[in-house]
Amino acid sequence: MLLAVVCVLLFAGLATAVGLRHGAPLPADPSAHAWGLAHRPPEAVALARGITATGTGPWPYALVVVAGFIAGRTTRERLRNAVVLLIVLVAGELVRTGLMELFARARPAPADWATHASGFAFPSGHATTSALAAGLLCWAMTRRARVDLAHTTCTLAVCWAVAVGLTRVYLGVHWASDVLGGWLLAAAWLSLWWWGWARWLPAEPMGHGGPGAPGTDTAPDALAASPPPKASGPRLPADARGLPPSGPLSPADTAHSPPPEDAPGPHPPPDAPEPPPS
């Protein structure tokens, strides 16, 4: 909950600054825009266009559906999670669209654009959408995948979302504060959703060691591997259990103990020889 509050407050501060300036660029916006205009070789522009295209259209939605299937164990859970994550993404997009209409911030001059753009500027739609999709994928990976695989996937997803946002500034269709606003909005929305999910749904082990994770014992395996239960109650002496006593025997024990069945008994003395006849 604390993370959600911090993200909401940061976004509210940035949005207040944009509103007080009536959509005019913030102090750091013109310098970032000018740098992008001064560094536009054809190869870099083509690469930036390819990256920025993945931040909208079917790609984020397909990524969220994949994340929903990853987060489930059964077919029912996979379908449910995919629907829930799509709802989270669509709801975040609706909030972002409403904020764009509310602030109605103008984009940079169209003469500086290196790609197609439409609508208002704040917050950036591409930055918001890609950050939401990346965050939902990270949530799914931390629930079901191995720790090393989850770390790698989350790192790549975050780098992708950052790259999409930066290309919007580089291609001249957004101010840097628009992209920052999109990232903060996505972080706030995801934090609120994570808090609600943890509050209203039952807790479940996540990541490595959770249910279905590789290397964990299932219930039958755990029962088979468990040691046999120990007998409870007072411990009987060895002779009461029909076992030979351990340790040396005392003289009293020796006197009262019967001889073994297979032990040879005492032999009578041999008869005295008969005297020879006289």
Side-chain angles (χ1 to χ4, degrees), residues 10-188:
L10 289 176
F11 176 79
L14 179 61
T16 301
V18 172
L20 291 176
R21 295 177 66 90
H22 303 286
L26 297 183
D29 288 338
S31 58
H33 183 73
W35 187 93
L37 293 176
H39 300 81
R40 281 186 179 175
E43 297 80 7
V45 171
L47 178 61
R49 287 173 177 169
I51 294 175
T52 203
T54 63
T56 188
W59 305 108
Y61 295 91
L63 191 63
V64 165
V65 171
V66 172
F69 277 84
I70 293 174
R73 290 174 297 176
T74 64
T75 302
R76 183 176 180 180
E77 285 187 1
R78 294 187 181 104
L79 293 175
R80 182 202 66 182
N81 291 336
V83 172
V84 170
L85 297 190
L86 281 175
I87 292 174
V88 173
L89 179 59
V90 172
E93 289 292 285
L94 293 176
V95 172
R96 187 262 308 171
T97 303
L99 291 172
M100 292 181 74
E101 296 294 331
L102 176 65
F103 288 97
R105 188 185 197 186
R107 296 177 181 269
D112 298 335
W113 298 359
T115 188
H116 172 74
S118 61
F120 296 111
F122 182 86
S124 168
H126 283 66
T128 305
T129 305
S130 58
L132 286 174
L136 294 174
L137 177 62
C138 292
W139 171 82
M141 293 299 296
T142 55
R143 285 175 62 86
R144 290 287 173 254
R146 300 192 314 268
V147 175
D148 54 347
L149 180 60
H151 287 173
T152 303
T153 305
C154 291
T155 301
L156 294 176
V158 171
C159 290
W160 166 70
V162 171
V164 169
L166 294 178
T167 58
R168 305 306 287 170
V169 180
Y170 179 74
L171 296 173
V173 294
H174 274 291
W175 304 109
S177 54
D178 299 334
V179 173
L180 180 59
W183 290 339
L184 290 176
L185 176 60

Side-chain angles (χ1 to χ4, degrees), residues 1 3-5 7-8 185-200:
M1 184 60 181
L3 178 61
V5 172
C7 293
V8 169
L185 176 60
W189 187 253
L190 290 174
S191 300
L192 289 172
W193 173 72
W194 285 331
W195 174 76
W197 181 281
R199 181 178 177 85
W200 300 110

Side-chain angles (χ1 to χ4, degrees), residues 219-237:
D221 295 337
L223 293 177
S226 59
K230 296 182 179 180
S232 58
R235 184 178 180 84
L236 299 177

